[in-house]
Every structure is written in C-alpha cells, then in structure tokens.
Amino acid sequence: MSEYNDMGFKVKDCTLITRMAGVKEAMNLRELEERLRVCPDECLFHHFCETVIRPTFDYPDYTNDFALWAGSQLRDKILAERLSVLNPYKCKSVDELRQQILDIFEERLSETDHILWAPKNRAFQFLQAVTVVFETDIRLNRPYDFYEQLPNMSHGSIYYHFIEARRRTKWMVDDFTAWLSEFEIEVKPLIKTLSEIDFYFLTLAELKNTLVTVTTEFFKEAKHEKNIN
Amino acid sequence: MKKTLTDYEKIIGPVAISKLRQVARDLKGASVVHVNSTREGGGVAEILFWMIPLMRELGLDALWEVIEGNAEYFNTTKTFHNGLQGNDVILTDRMIRAYEDTVAGNADRLRPVLQDADFVVIHDPQPAFLHELCPDKSGRWIWRCHIDASHPNRAVWNYLRSKVNNFDASIFSMPDFAHKLDHPQFIIAPSIDPLSDKNIELSDKEIKDTLQNFNIDPNRPILCQISRFDRFKDPIGVIKAFNLLNGSFNAQLVLAGGGATDDPEGAAVLEEVHRAANGNKNIHILMLPPDAHRIINALQRASTIVIQKSLQEGFGLTVTEAMWKCKPVIGGNTGGIRLQVHNHHTGFLVDTPEGAALRIRKLLYQPDVISKIGQTAKEFVKENYLCNRHLREYLTLMLGLRKGLANHLIAG
C-alpha cells in the first residue's frame, strides 16, 4: 500500500471502527491470561497499539489497555507498570508480544496468593478494529512540504503514517521515513532523528509536536547551511 | 424542515463531510431499508429522522419501513425491551405467538422490498423475526440493538438470540452491551443531531421566556437534571446534593422529566421527589410532555451546570446534549457517562450526593473553570458524538460487509 508515487506523497487520514473480538470478557487476571492465549492478533494489536488513537484527555497513566485495566479495575499497580513498559514495536511479531505479556501475567500470578477481581460491570472486553483510511487534500512533493504541511495534518494522519505504517509496511518503518529516503542524502539527518523518536510513550498531540519541532529545527539548520527545499 | 449536508457542514466542517462522501462513494445506488416499530417518538425514530435524508443525499437509496401491530404485539415487544434490560419478566407462548403473527403479517407487505435490498437494518427486537420470514433475501442484514442488554433476562435473550443470530452483523452501543453471536458485532456509540429541536441554537428570548414560564430566575445559578423520574436516575440523590450546598451561591435546582403518568413506578418516584424537595422554592420539579424538545433545549442552555447523577445508565445522551451546549456535567460514574465525562476536562464523575455537592461547589466558586470545561466538552462532542460520526460508522460497516472485513478499509 504505497502512499507515494510520481504524484507525490498523498497524505491520508484514518479512523477506527471497533468490533468485538469474539472472546469472552475477563473479570480477573486468571481469565485475562486464558483469553489472551486465544485472542486474535488484531485484538492484541488493538489493545496495545490503537489505545493512542482513542479519544481521551488525560495523559494516560499507562500505555496500553491491559495495563490501564490492571491499574484502574484490578487495582494492581505492579502488574500495570510491568505491562505498560512493554513496547510492542520492539517485538518482531505479534506472537513474541503475546508471549511477553503471558510471561508477565504468569509471573504476577505466581507472586500473589489471591486473584484480584474487577468490580461488577468493569470486565475487560476484548475488541479489535478496522482502520478506515481517507484521502486528504494534503500532497507532499519535496521534503520541505513535509515541514510546511505537518501542522495541518490531523492526529489520524500522524497515527496512520507514523505509527500504523510500521504494521503495514514490509520494513516496519513509518511512511514519512520511507518517502524521505527517496530524496538526496541531505535529509538523512532528519530520517535519523525521526527514527529516534520514542513514539510509543507519547500521545498523538505530543508526537505531532515532536515531529513539528524536529522538522522545523532540521530545515532551519539545513536552509542556513545548504538551502535544502 | 429537511436538513442537508451543507447545513451540517457549517457546524462540523468540510473535512468531516468529505469523509462521509468518501465512504459513501462505493455505496452509491445501494438500497438500504431501515425497519423499526414507530415513526414518531423514541430515540430510534429520532435517529432515522436525520439519517434517512442524509443517506439519500449521499447517493444511497434509503427507505424507512415501520412494523404495524396491535396492543398485544406492543405489550410483547415491551416485555422484550424490559427483559433485555434485565427486568424480571414473564414471556408466555401466547406472547410469542402474538409477536410472530404480527411480524408475519407485516412480512407479507414488506417482503419484496426487504428481499431486494442490499442492506436491511433492523432496529431493536420488534422487527427481528422478519429475517426468518424473508428466505430469498439477497442483501446483508444488520441487527441494531439500541438497548443496554448487558444483563438480559435469560428467557427473553434465548428467544431473541434465535431470531438475530443468523444476521450478517449486529451493532451495539457499547462493548458492555454486546453478546456473543455467530457474526461480527460492531460497537457504534449513539450520537446527537446538532440541528434537531433538542440541540439547535436558540435565541436568548426563547430561553428567557422558557425560564419565565417555569418561574426560574435567570439571574441566579441554575443546576439542572433532565431525566425520567426513575430511581436509576437518582433524583433524590440530586436533591440531597443540592441541600448540601446549604443555600450557598443562591442556586436553583431544576429536575425536569416526563413519562411518569402511565408508569406506576414513575408516579411513585415523582411523589418521593416532591417529598424530598419538601416545598423548597429553589427546587423546580417539572413534568414535561414527550415532545418538549425546545423546552429541554432551553433549560439545558440556561443551566450553569448540568447534572446526570445516574446510578445505572445506558449511554446517557442527555450528557452529550448538555456538553454540546458548553455545560460542564456532573455525572454518575456508570455506563456511557464514563466515556463522556472526564474529570477536570468535560465535568466530573461522582459516586455519591456528597461527591456531587463537592463538585458543584467547586465549579460555582470558579466560573472561569465552568466556561473552560464547557468549551472542551463541546469540542469533545463535536469530535466524537455528533451524527456525522454515527452515519460514517454505519456506512463504513456496510462497506466492510460488502468488501470484506480486512484490517484496512480504503474509503472512496
């Protein structure tokens, strides 16, 4: 699913539509562990990677839905912290991610002498989502357009091109990097800076600000030195 | 008055309209038949009232059909409704016969249009049996459950499950309301129509006149809960919270609702509410007719703070309505209120009358916080709970059923 061609980089936007994953709800850690073993890959991806695109205001205490539920409903801070520090984008496959989560669950179960339960009506519901992709009016033809248009991109666009792309593309890189790599050597420092952004622990608003900041800095310097556009 | 996409564009902006047009592009010409049990009154009719014209404007051939039935049929479907909500009901063979006979009678009339439709959306249980009665159907059938069916009566659910399980998809308002069925179950939250009588902008004069009609002082803070007189809405808890203010801020409380006269429990709750108010002139208890949309709109707009202190709630569209009118909401920590009310951002979630009193005092003491929260609340509704998002998700679901439910769906 290439986002660019001779016509330039066509910036997309996206939303999610969620559905039940077909896995029974979980009321405690033992049930969560059992269900996690069998839930679809898409469900794992949704609860670990799509948390960021859901509407929220707070800087969430934890970075994924399992950790959020463990913290807020099971009131198990230790479990929540261990789950939260897992970065799914460092895993080579969903299976590897699943195994890491199961290890954490098993470790926690072995440490506790009683099973913590969620309150009534606060079960963990297993969901998955379809990413719905939309066209936007934004086109990028040269690297400088990236700098100019970033502030105009929606959070959906940032999510789709910078985060979700890693699931979609063969080399697991973001769309901006893949596109910038087609240009001359001078944008390599920007590509390197983009690759160093620890995006998993940022909200989409923070991520967008970070992208705007690093891109602005790069083009300011580059313009000063070599007049890149 | 017919509302067009151009009317909505003024409120939601061109990007949101563009997304609708993109999803609808591949559905152009598709025939969609919605079936429910009433053309007037109730949330489903309110939704279809705006959804059908917008679907048509987007190029779909949308129709709205209504099941016709007698009192026995509607008593049975009321039993279904109450049973799905978890009430202790008795479903007899006679009731099932009355239900099936009525739907069969309607099927004779509706079969040609339903069997030819590309998509049939059956709203709630009332028309669900139609699926079985249209053996030569060619399109996809979707069951839309608007009810909080999280803890249904087993007899009612077992019967209805046998009627809806063979649909192609179902839609629930929240994950907690869903049930395991042999087809994909989508989660689509409800929404409000910003151009409906309940939500449209009103003139200052209309708001002022409404207050005057009910002897409410426009110059003093107004706290308001709009709800049926129902114990789950905790009107007594709201009065308790109001009394805990001890007259500070010179505030007034408005409890406005309707529908109690033909409901024995509603009448009893209303009586309890009057007793709890104990003749306090600062507490206004208003019984409103079912079509008092503009009055409700005016009361919400005139309010300083809106309260929805439910102990149990489905989605809580009165919360959405208040937030759309830039009001901070003090809401019960339950159901869909938890999705909408975010502490310090769009209002406050509370578990007790004391918690409600505390948050009311805090807000009344800080009027600048009231306006800041109100603005955020409106933006939040604009992004997430207006009818364009609702319609877009319906169209996306139809497109997904047509194209296949992959991880990605390219609109347009």
Side-chain angles (χ1 to χ4, degrees), chain A residues 168-213:
Chain A
R168 186 173 11 98
T169 53
K170 194 176 167 193
W171 305 109
M172 293 177 18
V173 294
D174 68 276
D175 290 332
F176 298 135
T177 295
W179 175 69
L180 287 168
S181 303
E182 306 264 305
F183 292 89
E184 63 269 41
I185 198 92
E186 284 83 351
V187 290
K188 289 282 188 280
L190 177 60
I191 292 171
K192 185 169 179 292
T193 311
L194 293 181
S195 73
E196 287 165 354
I197 295 173
D198 200 353
F199 64 90
Y200 186 63
F201 301 97
L202 300 177
T203 63
L204 286 177
E206 287 172 324
L207 175 57
K208 183 175 168 177
N209 282 340
T210 306
L211 289 171
V212 169
T213 305

Side-chain angles (χ1 to χ4, degrees), chain A residues 1 13 15-20 22 42 55 57-58 121-122 125 130-135 164 167-168, chain B residues 19 22-23 151 175-176 185-187 333 338 342 345-346 376 380 384 392-393 396 406-409 411:
Chain A
M1 210 184 303
D13 194 353
T15 60
L16 301 181
I17 178 161
T18 48
R19 54 187 273 213
M20 305 302 287
E42 293 78 11
F57 292 100
D58 299 314
N121 296 331
R122 306 286 172 92
Q125 302 284 355
V130 176
T131 307
V132 190
V133 187
F134 300 93
E135 301 285 346
E164 211 267 349
R167 171 202 198 192
R168 186 173 11 98
Chain B
K19 284 182 180 170
Q22 287 184 51
V23 191
H151 302 289
D176 293 336
Q185 297 153 267
F186 288 85
I187 307 303
N333 188 7
R338 291 208 307 265
H342 296 257
H345 294 282
T346 59
T376 310
F380 189 63
N384 300 291
R392 191 186 70 222
E393 292 189 341
T396 305
N407 290 342
H408 291 87
L409 195 60

Side-chain angles (χ1 to χ4, degrees), chain B residues 218-331:
Chain B
N219 300 314
R220 290 161 52 201
I222 299 170
L223 314 173
C224 172
Q225 173 160 303
I226 309 278
S227 265
R228 284 193 322 275
F229 290 99
D230 178 327
R231 289 198 180 87
F232 285 130
K233 311 293 181 190
D234 199 19
I236 306 290
V238 176
I239 292 176
K240 211 170 155 191
F242 181 72
N243 287 338
L244 283 168
L245 298 179
N246 291 323
S248 45
F249 303 103
N250 205 11
Q252 313 158 84
L253 174 65
V254 178
L255 292 169
T261 45
D262 60 345
D263 173 3
E265 193 171 291
V269 175
L270 182 60
E271 177 62 38
E272 285 169 24
V273 169
H274 276 291
R275 260 204 312 275
N278 196 24
N280 186 338
K281 289 202 174 86
N282 292 320
I283 301 178
H284 302 265
I285 300 163
L286 313 180
M287 275 299 295
L288 302 176
D291 60 349
H293 302 316
R294 289 184 85 97
I295 293 174
I296 288 172
N297 187 345
L299 290 173
Q300 287 170 327
R301 286 186 188 279
S303 297
T304 317
I305 298 166
V306 170
I307 303 167
Q308 186 60 59
K309 216 201 91 43
S310 305
L311 304 171
Q312 193 176 314
E313 188 62 72
F315 188 75
L317 279 177
T318 51
V319 169
T320 329
E321 289 161 12
M323 285 167 58
W324 177 243
K325 293 163 188 121
C326 294
K327 304 300 167 186
V329 175
I330 293 177

Side-chain angles (χ1 to χ4, degrees), chain A residues 90-199:
Chain A
K90 299 280 182 212
C91 295
K92 290 189 190 77
S93 66
V94 176
D95 283 345
E96 187 183 321
L97 173 64
R98 194 189 301 266
Q99 192 51 54
Q100 287 193 19
I101 305 167
L102 286 171
D103 289 346
I104 291 172
F105 285 176
E106 279 167 20
E107 182 186 23
R108 190 66 190 134
L109 282 165
S110 72
E111 289 168 352
T112 48
D113 49 11
H114 63 282
I115 304 278
L116 292 171
W117 285 71
K120 191 185 166 205
N121 296 331
R122 306 286 172 92
F124 188 91
Q125 302 284 355
F126 289 84
L127 303 171
Q128 63 187 70
V130 176
T131 307
V132 190
V133 187
F134 300 93
E135 301 285 346
T136 73
D137 291 335
I138 303 176
R139 297 281 180 279
L140 312 178
N141 292 308
R142 50 193 186 133
Y144 195 74
D145 296 342
F146 178 54
Y147 155 70
E148 279 192 324
Q149 292 293 342
L150 256 175
N152 301 327
M153 291 184 201
S154 69
H155 289 175
S157 296
I158 300 290
Y159 171 78
Y160 181 73
H161 290 300
F162 199 72
I163 300 180
E164 211 267 349
R166 293 160 205 260
R167 171 202 198 192
R168 186 173 11 98
T169 53
K170 194 176 167 193
W171 305 109
M172 293 177 18
V173 294
D174 68 276
D175 290 332
F176 298 135
T177 295
W179 175 69
L180 287 168
S181 303
E182 306 264 305
F183 292 89
E184 63 269 41
I185 198 92
E186 284 83 351
V187 290
K188 289 282 188 280
L190 177 60
I191 292 171
K192 185 169 179 292
T193 311
L194 293 181
S195 73
E196 287 165 354
I197 295 173
D198 200 353
F199 64 90

